[in-house]
Amino acid sequence: MADFEIPQLKEYPVIPKIHEGVMAHSKPFVAKQEFQGALGFPGELVDNWQQVAIDKMGELNGKYRSLQVFLDSCVKCGACTDKCHYYLGTSDPKNMPVARQDLYRKVYRRYYTFAGKYFPKLVGATDLTKEVLDDWYSYFHQCSQCRRCSVFCPYGIDTAEISMAAREVMDAVGIGQKYCNEIIGKVYKIGNNLGLPEPALADTLEGLEEDIEDDTGVAVKLPLDQKGAEVLLVTPSADFFAEPHVDGLMGYAKVFHEAGISWTLSSYASEAANFGMFIGSYENMRKLSLRVREAALELGVKRIIFGECGHAWRVAYSFLNTLAGPFDFLDPKYPVPQHILEFTHDLIQRGGITLDKSANDDMVLTFHDSCNIARASRMGSKPGGQFTIPREVIKASCNHFYDMPQDTIHDATYCCGGGGGLLTDDLMELRVKGALPRMEALKFVVENYGVTHMAAICAICKSQFTKVLPYYGFGMDSIVSVHQLVSNAIVMGNKQ
Ligand code: SF4
Ligand code: SF4
């Protein structure tokens, strides 16, 4: 059982009274030398760390204009204070977005503004001390970079960008986060977050082919490294084995099969996740993205489609062309890249696949909008497609669907509590407490509409919910993949 207090689910969300410092102890494990070195960061806190950190902050000011605008423009209006799930779940005032920003802002002011240099006390500017650095390590790892606060800020200040900058500065002085940095190193070495080598991946895919054939009687292929395939599917490695992710992967395979489109996975680019974004490192984000380009060229595909993963879709949709483009060797008829939901949605619209909704009649569904998809990307050709397309695919696959309360969905969606590189067991207290607002919204539809399952389109959300749902009295298997619903409903054998 948990060695921390699990928040009570209330009937209506309540903004908690503040409890200073209650989460100061929450810190992820620091990355060891071996994990830092692989990413080009110092292995431990460097001797002249203050100067290195201040110089890095200056470099980031010059590189990212948005960062400096965000640091200069907050008017302390307070509109963001009750918008962060980590504040609502923990009551620690440093988890209010404006207070989190101020941890960075007060150091920025001290070294990069006239008033902060000469009248620091007047403008709340502070020296960068070890105590301040410790606070950064704790509270910038209590931000899932979900961007909910920015939706409510009249100036659009994006705390996520400030937390990425802070993590980048910390990596530069040698105190990186173990979970993220170890994972990025695994992708460089083996190709995916899990460290699953090519033979094990091939075996896994063969096993899934057998499962689908046993279940449907249809021989559906999950090809690996197949040169000349039309589509390269890049999907989070959790799709290869974790529940309910793997049911989604089987769904993609069935859709490709029924659509009659050749496709392949790549053992070299066997990971859609790009944790370079979480640590704010452009260089690492680019290096990871280039693997997708190299795999597409090597395999000679015409299209690239991404599987269900939130931040991976943000990186793909918003940055892939800049990081790893141009993709002029792909078929210009299709967007680069495409999301698997855009692909399936289009087939449904055109009658390219047949779905029997009654196959999901044992479930009453709701949908969790993932932050990075909702607030940092889009789908389809119309504004808001990232909200409508997943819901239309779900509704085409099942008979019973109810949305959670309006202020908890679409661009006001609450983070699952495990995004932004925080999906690690050393942050379990934070993850459980940060899930509170989503759990309260889920409770509402469970009690009012008899909802039994929540669908999601992000590998991190699915893993996080599997872990935290039981803390709030829900079953761990009440989280499902959207393509799991498609997989259940798709009528196989219609292929010409
Ligand atoms: S980006 Fe999300 S997690 Fe970070 S402060 Fe804002 S609401 Fe909280
Ligand atoms: S809503 Fe924006 S301007 Fe207002 S306190 Fe928060 S960050 Fe500052």
Side-chain angles (χ1 to χ4, degrees):
M1 214 42 223
D3 54 3
F4 52 86
E5 205 177 322
I6 299 158
Q8 292 291 310
L9 291 182
K10 296 168 285 309
E11 194 168 349
Y12 300 103
V14 172
I15 299 165
K17 287 191 182 145
I18 60 170
H19 292 102
E20 287 204 26
V22 285
M23 289 301 284
H25 62 278
S26 175
K27 296 178 203 291
F29 295 145
V30 176
K32 289 194 182 131
Q33 200 147 12
E34 59 196 284
F35 303 132
Q36 290 283 97
L39 276 60
F41 303 136
E44 57 187 24
L45 191 63
V46 294
D47 291 338
N48 58 338
W49 66 268
Q50 277 156 312
Q51 198 50 51
V52 173
I54 294 161
D55 291 348
K56 188 74 187 176
M57 289 174 81
E59 181 195 319
L60 298 183
N61 290 342
K63 218 155 94 179
Y64 307 124
R65 289 292 296 150
S66 52
L67 177 65
Q68 192 164 351
V69 169
F70 294 154
L71 292 170
D72 285 335
S73 56
C74 174
V75 294
K76 303 286 187 293
C77 71
C80 62
T81 50
D82 59 349
K83 302 302 186 291
C84 177
H85 51 290
Y86 290 123
Y87 172 65
L88 297 174
T90 67
S91 75
D92 189 318
K94 283 188 183 157
N95 277 328
M96 291 177 173
V98 58
R100 195 184 317 285
Q101 295 165 22
D102 273 358
L103 295 174
Y104 192 100
R105 185 176 284 121
K106 64 187 184 181
V107 180
Y108 159 77
R109 280 196 177 143
R110 178 73 182 91
Y111 300 101
Y112 290 100
T113 65
F114 177 84
K117 273 183 195 159
Y118 298 103
F119 315 104
K121 285 208 173 111
L122 276 183
V123 293
T126 319
D127 287 346
L128 180 54
T129 60
K130 183 66 174 52
E131 202 184 1
V132 170
L133 190 69
D134 287 346
D135 244 14
W136 278 28
Y137 194 75
S138 180
Y139 289 100
F140 285 117
H141 289 110
Q142 296 189 44
C143 170
S144 56
Q145 305 172 342
C146 77
R147 310 180 88 222
R148 187 171 195 269
C149 47
S150 72
V151 171
F152 297 89
C153 171
Y155 295 90
I157 294 172
D158 185 358
T159 319
E161 221 169 290
I162 297 173
S163 108
M164 286 170 191
R167 292 189 195 178
E168 195 172 0
V169 172
M170 290 189 283
D171 269 324
V173 300
I175 48 164
Q177 183 213 12
K178 175 179 183 280
Y179 173 66
C180 283
N181 293 2
E182 183 179 7
I183 274 181
I184 294 171
K186 271 190 207 160
V187 180
Y188 291 154
K189 208 163 158 195
I190 300 166
N192 52 65
N193 287 5
L194 298 174
L196 197 65
E198 189 272 336
L201 180 55
D203 263 9
T204 306
L205 297 176
E206 248 176 61
L208 295 178
E209 288 174 352
E210 284 164 19
D211 290 348
I212 297 176
E213 189 159 4
D214 287 350
D215 195 35
T216 64
V218 181
V220 172
K221 291 282 163 212
L222 279 88
L224 183 63
D225 296 331
Q226 192 177 295
K227 286 197 175 180
E230 178 164 345
V231 171
L232 167 65
L233 177 78
V234 186
T235 206
S237 55
D239 279 1
F240 300 132
F241 81 101
E243 290 285 353
H245 317 55
V246 70
D247 303 293
L249 174 60
M250 291 196 273
Y252 318 149
K254 289 184 189 174
V255 172
F256 283 124
H257 179 90
E258 284 301 302
I261 291 179
S262 66
W263 66 291
T264 187
L265 291 154
S266 155
S267 56
Y268 181 70
S270 48
E271 182 59 71
N274 191 324
F275 279 28
M277 189 179 79
F278 296 152
I279 61 166
S281 167
Y282 180 89
E283 288 73 22
N284 282 289
M285 194 158 71
R286 179 159 191 272
K287 215 168 142 191
L288 293 166
S289 295
L290 282 171
R291 297 178 75 93
V292 175
R293 178 189 175 85
E294 287 158 24
L297 279 167
E298 167 70 19
L299 295 168
V301 297
K302 299 194 182 83
R303 305 163 66 176
I304 300 173
I305 295 184
F306 273 73
E308 295 183 6
C309 183
H311 82 280
W313 181 239
R314 177 182 183 186
V315 175
Y317 179 88
S318 304
F319 312 130
L320 192 67
N321 281 281
T322 327
L323 290 168
F327 286 94
D328 46 6
F329 56 92
L330 298 175
D331 188 335
K333 286 205 300 288
Y334 302 100
V336 182
Q338 214 176 0
H339 194 282
I340 188 72
L341 272 158
E342 294 174 314
F343 176 73
T344 300
H345 182 257
D346 178 58
L347 282 169
I348 295 170
Q349 301 288 302
R350 293 190 290 110
I353 53 173
T354 309
L355 298 170
D356 171 12
K357 295 182 186 196
S358 67
N360 286 309
D361 271 354
D362 55 331
M363 291 186 246
V364 180
L365 284 138
T366 192
F367 177 63
H368 166 77
D369 292 277
S370 299
C371 310
N372 276 299
I373 293 172
R375 286 187 283 263
S377 71
R378 205 167 93 174
M379 283 182 201
S381 55
K382 292 187 198 143
Q386 72 272 35
F387 310 130
T388 53
I389 287 177
R391 284 173 172 79
E392 283 172 18
V393 170
I394 294 171
K395 287 178 188 169
S397 308
C398 76
N399 281 309
H400 309 294
F401 175 81
Y402 298 91
D403 254 322
M404 287 181 274
Q406 204 59 38
D407 56 348
T408 74
I409 60 170
H410 292 194
D411 61 355
T413 188
Y414 277 111
C415 174
C416 62
L422 308 181
L423 190 77
T424 168
D425 284 355
D426 35 321
L427 293 175
M428 192 49 77
E429 176 181 1
L430 179 79
R431 288 169 54 189
V432 170
K433 292 182 172 176
L436 176 75
R438 174 48 77 227
M439 294 295 105
E440 285 182 338
L442 176 62
K443 176 175 180 269
F444 179 85
V445 285
V446 166
E447 289 178 354
N448 287 279
Y449 305 117
V451 162
T452 60
H453 291 81
M454 178 163 65
I457 49 172
C458 170
I460 287 177
C461 298
K462 292 172 202 172
S463 300
Q464 158 76 350
F465 285 132
T466 305
K467 208 79 182 242
V468 302
L469 280 163
Y471 283 90
Y472 290 97
F474 302 110
M476 67 187 296
D477 54 359
S478 46
I479 178 77
V480 293
S481 299
V482 169
H483 271 80
Q484 178 179 351
L485 303 172
V486 176
S487 176
N488 294 342
I490 194 165
V491 178
M492 300 297 289
N494 277 4
K495 188 181 148 192
Q496 297 302 307

